[in-house]
Amino acid sequence: MIIDVHAHWGPWFFAMNVADVSDNVQVMERYGIDLQIVSATEAVIYDPRTGNRRLADVLTRTDRLLGYLAINPRDLAAAEDDIAELLPTGRFVGAKIHTDYTDSPVGSPQMRDALTLLDELDLPVLVHTWDRAVLELAQLCAELPRLRAIAGHMGGTDSHWAVEATRVCPRLYLEPSCSHAPAGRFRQVAEQVDPHRLLFGTDSTLIDPAVALGAVAAARLPTDVVERVMWRNAAELFALPTP
């Protein structure tokens, strides 16, 4: 079984032949991915209100996708409205915050307010992290009593920051998707981090899942660790049915 915890639905702002849920399913079938947890591209890049609602409609038409509610930390009133309206559908299992597109660095007051809201709701959150931002996310996670945060891209190419971050907060998770894939990056992290803290993410449909799948395969991890990475940890984090 494979659960992809970092994926997207919808067209991008540059030329790509990705527009419909069938594109997601086609990619999933190609690589044996059973379930994707997705945010709407429109919600992440342009407008959470419309994007989250378009995704809500899509999620009623497939059992292969679950959703993240995209949140803009600079408009928490809208985020609270989206959560109140869409979370009860049962098709959304977490939140997504892209720090660059919302111009809300992890260390900003707006970001702290957004994570405090998600902490109060006990709602897992996937946060875009790069370089030392993964350490800042870990510190905020440690300061909030219940927050469960996924460091998207596990901090980018400088994997040693990700290793340090997991030592700061036991509720911080890492996923390996990355537009740059230095050799041995995931193996170096997996050798130093509690295997319960590792998830599988691809950044599909922006990045082909072959990149993340290749990184995990090249790490040559023990079978029980691979199982945890590929689906078991995600099933536990998001309270999903297990096979």
Side-chain angles (χ1 to χ4, degrees):
M1 184 173 184
I2 302 177
I3 300 176
D4 180 358
V5 305
H6 187 168
H8 307 276
W9 165 80
W12 292 90
F13 55 85
F14 43 81
M16 290 180 70
N17 186 26
V18 176
D20 188 73
V21 67
S22 62
D23 298 305
N24 288 75
V25 174
Q26 182 180 14
V27 170
M28 293 168 71
E29 291 290 339
R30 183 184 307 155
Y31 293 108
I33 297 170
D34 298 278
L35 179 69
Q36 282 187 336
I37 307 179
V38 302
S39 55
T41 305
E42 179 181 5
V44 172
I45 298 173
Y46 297 112
D47 180 12
R49 284 182 179 272
T50 58
N52 286 334
R53 283 159 183 76
R54 290 186 200 276
L55 178 58
D57 178 64
V58 166
L59 296 177
T60 66
R61 295 186 265 121
T62 178
D63 60 359
R64 299 291 297 275
L65 306 180
L66 291 172
Y68 287 117
L69 287 165
I71 287 177
N72 184 344
R74 295 182 177 276
D75 191 358
L76 286 188
E80 290 175 335
D81 288 345
D82 288 355
I83 290 168
E85 177 183 343
L86 301 176
L87 195 59
T89 66
R91 300 298 294 163
F92 290 90
V93 295
K96 165 70 180 289
I97 301 177
H98 198 296
T99 52
D100 290 346
Y101 288 130
T102 62
D103 196 22
S104 303
V106 174
S108 66
Q110 295 87 355
M111 192 67 173
R112 176 179 285 275
D113 290 344
L115 294 180
T116 298
L117 171 64
L118 298 173
D119 173 70
E120 293 169 351
L121 295 169
D122 196 20
L123 192 64
V125 58
L126 170 64
V127 180
H128 175 86
T129 61
W130 210 261
D131 295 333
R132 291 176 176 83
V134 68
L135 286 172
E136 296 176 327
L137 179 61
Q139 185 58 50
L140 281 172
C141 185
E143 293 171 5
L144 295 168
R146 296 193 299 176
L147 185 69
R148 292 166 293 157
I150 304 169
H153 316 297
M154 62 184 193
T157 55
D158 292 329
S159 57
H160 61 283
W161 299 123
V163 173
E164 289 187 24
T166 60
R167 296 168 183 161
V168 175
C169 180
R171 289 169 279 108
L172 183 78
Y173 297 80
L174 306 175
E175 63 85 12
S177 69
C178 191
S179 53
H180 309 285
R185 170 178 174 263
F186 186 66
R187 176 183 55 79
Q188 292 166 7
V189 171
E191 288 177 346
Q192 301 177 73
V193 171
D194 179 349
H196 292 77
R197 314 276 287 285
L198 301 172
L199 303 168
F200 179 72
T202 66
D203 210 5
S204 175
T205 53
L206 180 61
I207 299 175
D208 194 291
V211 178
L213 286 165
V216 174
R220 299 184 181 276
L221 303 174
T223 301
D224 60 324
V225 176
V226 172
E227 182 181 84
R228 288 223 149 263
V229 171
M230 300 307 288
W231 69 270
R232 189 172 293 278
N233 290 339
E236 293 174 357
L237 174 60
F238 293 103
L240 304 176
T242 58

